[in-house]
């Protein structure tokens, strides 16, 4: 087995681009209970402020401005989450390729050990026959 055949890079050690890092971090945060609870608190606060300010008609009842903010958030957040999911599928593919390479390496090493054992057995048979 050549030294170059034994060198395998683990998928977790491969470099990430800025966008990949950002998408992964945003997905960790945006998919958490902390985000959901915080966002619900924000929505509730927005509605309270608007109910109080109803007299001044800042963002009256159907909350059109709030709907715009939610739509923009969804429009921005969804592609980032999809990028992170694509990144995860790439990681899974790289891990499976890594596992395959490790298995091939182990198979070659086992074959090498088997051939060495066979050679040792033949030598022992010659010695014991004498």
């Amino acid at each position: 087995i050549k030294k170059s055949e034994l060198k395998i890079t683990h998928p977790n050690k491969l470099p990430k681009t800025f966008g990949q890092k950002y998408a992964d971090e945003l997905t960790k945060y945006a998919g958490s209970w902390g985000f959901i609870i915080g966002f619900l608190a924000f929505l509730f606060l927005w509605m309270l402020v608007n109910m109080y300010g109803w007299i001044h008609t800042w963002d009256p009842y159907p909350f059109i401005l709030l709907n715009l903010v939610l739509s923009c958030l969804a429009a921005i957040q969804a592609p980032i989450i999809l990028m992170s999911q694509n990144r995860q599928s790439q990681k899974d593919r790289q891990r499976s390729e890594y596992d395959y390479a490790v298995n091939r390496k182990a198979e070659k090493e086992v074959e090498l050990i088997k051939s060495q054992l066979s050679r040792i057995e033949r030598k022992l048979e010659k010695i014991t026959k004498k």
Side-chain angles (χ1 to χ4, degrees):
I1 299 175
K2 296 177 184 173
K3 196 85 162 169
S4 61
E5 293 175 9
L6 300 177
K7 192 169 187 173
I8 303 168
T9 304
H10 195 277
N12 291 344
K13 294 182 181 177
L14 295 173
K16 293 183 196 177
T17 65
F18 173 77
Q20 291 169 335
K21 289 178 191 176
Y22 180 72
D24 289 344
E25 289 301 314
L26 182 68
T27 302
K28 283 181 195 174
Y29 173 71
S32 69
W33 278 109
F35 175 80
I36 292 170
I37 292 169
F39 200 68
L40 287 175
F42 168 76
L43 291 175
F44 185 71
L45 182 65
W46 183 289
M47 289 178 196
L48 283 179
V49 168
N50 280 302
M51 291 298 187
Y52 178 76
W54 202 346
I55 300 167
H56 303 292
T57 64
W58 172 51
D59 190 14
Y61 167 65
F63 304 126
I64 296 170
L65 185 58
L66 176 62
N67 286 329
L68 175 67
V69 169
L70 294 176
S71 297
C72 289
L73 176 71
I76 292 169
Q77 195 177 22
I80 292 174
I81 291 171
L82 288 174
M83 287 187 317
S84 183
Q85 288 175 342
N86 287 339
R87 172 89 175 124
Q88 187 61 43
S89 66
Q90 287 174 349
K91 283 183 189 178
D92 292 342
R93 183 181 45 78
Q94 289 171 342
R95 265 192 213 105
S96 66
E97 289 173 2
Y98 175 77
D99 289 343
Y100 178 74
V102 167
N103 290 341
R104 291 288 302 209
K105 176 184 169 188
E107 182 182 13
K108 287 179 183 180
E109 289 176 352
V110 167
E111 287 175 4
L112 180 65
I113 291 170
K114 282 172 63 177
S115 67
Q116 288 174 345
L117 281 175
S118 295
R119 194 175 68 240
I120 291 170
E121 280 181 342
R122 285 193 299 272
K123 286 184 179 183
L124 284 175
E125 284 176 3
K126 287 181 184 178
I127 292 173
T128 56
K129 286 182 181 180
K130 288 183 182 178

